[in-house]
Amino acid sequence: MKKLSITPIGIKFLIIIVLTLGIFFRFINLDKKIYWGDETFTSLRLSGYTAKEVERQLFDGRIVTIEDIHKYQRTNSQKKFTDTIKGLALEEPQLPPLYFLIARFWVKLFGNSIAVTRSISALISLLIFPCTYWLCLELFGSSMVGWIAMAIMAVSPFNILYAQEARPYSLWAVTIVLSSASFLRALRLKTKVSWLLYAITMTIGLYTYLLTILVAIGNGLYLLVIERFRFTKTVIAYILASLLALLAFLPWILAIAVNYNSFQETSKWAFETMPISNIIQEWMRNISYSFMDFWYLFTYLPDSRFNLSFGIYLIPLLLILVGYSIYFVCRETPASISVFLLILMAANSLPMVLLDLVSGGYRSIMARYFVPSYLGIHLSVAYLFAKKMNPINRKLFIANLWKLSFVALLMGGIISCYVSSQAETWWTKRTLDHVIASKLINQTSHPLLILEKNIPTVLSLSHVLNPDVEFQFINTKQLPTIPDKFTNIFLLESPRFPVNKFEENQKLKVKLVYKGRKQNLWEVKSSH
């Protein structure tokens, strides 16, 4: 591999501007996008209450106010940090507690607003920059690749969207990069202290997100390939460090084992079927969205004033760029680099893709599970640009063309970040029905909303509806009796409770107010 030159001053200046914009986009309009179901469960965990307590105390047949619901979205003096851990262990053992404990400490200090709750993710996401630079020095021995990788990640829509989400994904991304750099450092130094650092970073990763185990397995596979499947001292050191990390993670492994039924219950959605053609389309979209996604505006908001729908034709170009960068890395770099990146990209993605293809389900379309894969893709693309933009290695005209391409890639990311920063929902949330339905309901005075007993939906809507909105929940056995005091009544229809049940059982007239993609909103009137 030819040595890369020092990063040119002009490129470095451009990247500093891009990094500044990336930081800006991580913190702008933190509370603009809808606080969707998964995020409301974060606040539920931070409050110390459990979903069973919500069901028992809210779904008891009475009319419920926004204030009643928000009790389960705020921290309080009755519930402690241990209640957060207990709630996760009992109901969501697939989510280790580290992020939630950090977030609970944060909101206890600064308040329970959406902006504050999301801001800790944004703040943590900034650590991705120094960690990525370190990883590039360890992997490529090149500061130029490090600068370019930081720029790509700075305005990556994928990174920014999850940096603004009250979930553990930005912390997970940081721990992956940190543990990967620590792993490569341990291979280089071969000291006890360096392997201990790797064990510590891997433990942090495990307590952040369960899929870190696949990254650790990928590290072991990489080491076996590099060591030519020999049982060397380095392999033994890796095994000992991994065992140390697993030993530290043992308490949560036991929590998963004890509450395995909850683990299975919360993963049931992953087994719903989806046509293979749709899954493949989602794979391609997700890869392109890791670089730019401004055209998504037209998927859900076709009447937007921004005429950027042409961007959809960039998807094939972005896929070609990714494919060529992987080929280029495999051709131009030694196995110590190319194998590491290939395994990083495949360790998480390949098992989920195979599970979906063999046993059904659509786990593999969830971009949030593919953080290691997108990290590997970004590093591959960064290396490609670092090599191609270097005039020492090729003609000046060709190098300048690659520089223009790099600027165009960054501009696409910047435009995407701006467009999504002004939106109330985006592809990571897909909650347009709730956004539009809430606006229609908020136009009326003191309305009643009737809906199914679905905790994520109820909690999410409570953050976008006016304080005077009240809720009534549909019982699985019988429909509720609507009180006479309400003149503005709405029904959020769901497949289990179609609107014709109300028409037949309570002699009500209904009028379709909004036909949604997944849920319809009806206005309910008495037929008397």
Side-chain angles (χ1 to χ4, degrees):
M1 182 178 71
K2 295 179 182 178
K3 189 170 180 64
L4 296 172
S5 66
I6 298 172
T7 313
I9 297 297
I11 294 292
K12 190 177 289 188
F13 180 71
L14 168 66
I15 290 172
I16 289 172
I17 294 174
V18 172
L19 286 172
T20 304
L21 287 172
I23 294 170
F24 171 75
F25 283 124
R26 278 163 170 78
F27 289 94
I28 188 175
N29 292 337
L30 271 172
D31 57 354
K32 189 174 181 69
K33 289 184 179 62
I34 189 170
Y35 204 61
W36 77 298
D38 280 16
E39 290 182 293
T40 64
F41 259 72
T42 293
S43 289
L44 177 63
R45 298 306 165 208
L46 303 190
S47 74
Y49 288 101
T50 63
K52 287 187 177 179
E53 287 177 300
V54 173
E55 290 176 357
R56 186 170 61 250
Q57 297 173 21
L58 279 187
F59 301 157
D60 57 1
R62 62 192 172 94
I63 302 294
V64 173
T65 66
I66 298 284
E67 189 62 29
D68 293 331
I69 298 170
H70 281 183
K71 171 185 174 182
Y72 307 98
Q73 296 287 278
R74 302 172 183 150
T75 54
N76 57 82
S77 57
Q78 288 78 38
K79 298 288 186 176
K80 309 298 181 185
F81 281 85
T82 51
D83 294 299
T84 293
I85 298 173
K86 189 187 300 182
L88 286 165
L90 290 174
E91 296 184 338
E92 294 184 283
Q94 80 279 8
L95 294 174
L98 180 59
Y99 164 79
F100 298 90
L101 294 177
I102 295 171
R104 193 179 198 279
F105 176 77
W106 185 257
V107 299
K108 287 287 283 185
L109 284 178
F110 301 106
N112 295 274
S113 70
I114 291 175
V116 168
T117 309
R118 285 173 170 169
S119 65
I120 187 61
S121 295
L123 199 62
I124 290 171
S125 75
L126 300 182
L127 296 174
I128 199 79
F129 300 130
C131 292
T132 296
Y133 188 79
W134 179 27
L135 176 57
C136 289
L137 291 180
E138 293 289 347
L139 183 61
F140 301 104
S142 166
S143 62
M144 186 173 181
V145 178
W147 279 97
I148 293 172
M150 285 193 298
I152 292 172
M153 292 181 183
V155 291
S156 161
F158 174 83
N159 286 342
I160 287 180
L161 288 167
Y162 283 112
Q164 289 197 325
E165 187 154 308
R167 297 297 280 175
Y169 306 116
S170 65
L171 179 59
W172 187 36
V174 170
T175 62
I176 291 168
V177 180
L178 187 61
S179 64
S180 296
S182 301
F183 174 66
L184 294 175
R185 179 176 180 270
L187 294 184
R188 177 170 56 83
L189 297 180
K190 295 181 171 60
T191 63
K192 291 180 181 178
V193 173
S194 63
W195 281 110
L196 178 61
L197 177 62
Y198 171 67
I200 292 170
T201 58
M202 189 52 66
T203 302
I204 294 171
L206 289 169
Y207 272 105
T208 298
Y209 207 65
L210 199 58
L211 290 179
T212 302
I213 190 68
L214 295 177
V215 178
I217 292 171
N219 289 343
L221 180 59
Y222 167 77
L223 184 56
L224 285 175
V225 172
I226 295 302
E227 296 291 325
R228 298 181 181 179
F229 296 93
R230 294 172 299 175
F231 202 66
T232 61
K233 289 182 179 180
T234 306
V235 173
I236 294 172
Y238 161 79
I239 292 172
L240 292 175
S242 299
L243 288 174
L244 184 61
L246 283 174
L247 184 63
F249 191 59
L250 184 60
W252 202 256
I253 295 175
L254 294 175
I256 293 172
V258 170
N259 301 287
Y260 189 68
N261 287 339
S262 296
F263 182 86
Q264 287 184 308
E265 185 68 25
T266 53
S267 305
K268 280 169 60 175
W269 63 267
F271 296 93
E272 297 176 12
T273 58
M274 177 181 282
I276 295 297
S277 59
N278 290 4
I279 291 177
I280 293 173
Q281 286 179 10
E282 291 294 330
W283 294 345
M284 293 190 293
R285 285 197 193 100
N286 288 343
I287 292 172
S288 65
Y289 285 171
S290 72
F291 294 99
M292 57 185 79
D293 65 354
F294 56 82
W295 57 87
Y296 181 77
L297 196 70
F298 284 81
T299 304
Y300 272 59
L301 302 172
D303 299 326
S304 170
R305 70 179 188 274
F306 294 106
N307 187 19
L308 302 172
S309 58
F310 70 89
I312 197 169
Y313 300 106
L314 296 175
I315 292 179
L317 296 179
L318 292 168
L319 294 175
I320 291 170
L321 173 67
V322 170
Y324 179 64
S325 71
I326 295 171
Y327 163 77
F328 188 80
V329 165
C330 292
R331 191 188 71 184
E332 295 288 326
T333 65
S336 59
I337 295 176
S338 59
V339 173
F340 180 85
L341 289 176
L342 289 173
I343 291 178
L344 183 64
M345 286 184 271
N348 276 58
S349 58
L350 193 58
M352 283 189 237
V353 167
L354 291 176
L355 276 172
D356 284 355
L357 294 178
V358 173
S359 61
Y362 57 89
R363 311 162 193 81
S364 61
I365 72 167
M366 299 301 169
R368 57 185 180 266
Y369 299 152
F370 287 69
V371 172
S373 304
Y374 298 136
L375 170 63
I377 287 172
H378 288 163
L379 292 177
S380 298
V381 171
Y383 177 78
L384 172 67
F385 277 113
K387 287 284 286 186
K388 295 292 188 179
M389 291 192 300
N390 190 345
I392 295 176
N393 299 328
R394 59 200 70 257
K395 294 180 180 180
L396 183 60
F397 173 73
I398 300 298
N400 286 336
L401 280 180
W402 279 99
K403 288 177 183 178
L404 285 174
S405 301
F406 178 57
V407 171
L409 185 72
L410 296 180
M411 284 301 300
I414 292 168
I415 293 170
S416 299
C417 294
Y418 171 76
V419 172
S420 69
S421 72
Q422 307 304 308
E424 294 176 90
T425 187
W426 211 244
W427 59 272
T428 51
K429 303 179 188 299
R430 307 191 183 197
T431 48
L432 184 69
D433 289 347
H434 292 170
V435 171
I436 295 178
S438 64
K439 288 182 178 181
L440 294 170
I441 295 169
N442 285 339
Q443 291 173 7
T444 63
S445 176
H446 194 203
L448 174 70
L449 176 61
I450 304 170
L451 70 163
E452 184 183 350
K453 295 179 180 179
N454 182 289
I455 294 177
T457 299
V458 171
L459 295 180
S460 178
L461 285 170
S462 75
H463 288 280
V464 289
L465 289 171
N466 290 336
D468 66 340
V469 178
E470 297 190 46
F471 290 74
Q472 187 174 32
F473 304 109
I474 302 171
N475 192 295
T476 53
K477 295 181 180 179
Q478 62 183 20
L479 299 173
T481 301
I482 301 173
D484 295 331
K485 67 174 184 176
F486 293 98
T487 55
N488 297 304
I489 304 168
F490 295 92
L491 168 67
L492 191 62
E493 187 181 14
S494 65
R496 288 202 305 162
F497 298 100
V499 71
N500 57 11
K501 279 193 175 184
F502 281 81
E503 292 180 297
E504 295 169 0
N505 286 269
Q506 295 201 26
K507 298 180 179 179
L508 297 171
K509 289 183 178 179
V510 294
K511 175 185 175 185
L512 183 64
V513 178
Y514 166 67
K515 184 173 180 58
R517 292 172 179 262
K518 293 182 179 180
Q519 290 182 292
N520 300 327
L521 183 69
W522 298 80
E523 187 176 11
V524 181
K525 298 285 186 183
S526 174
S527 59
H528 299 299

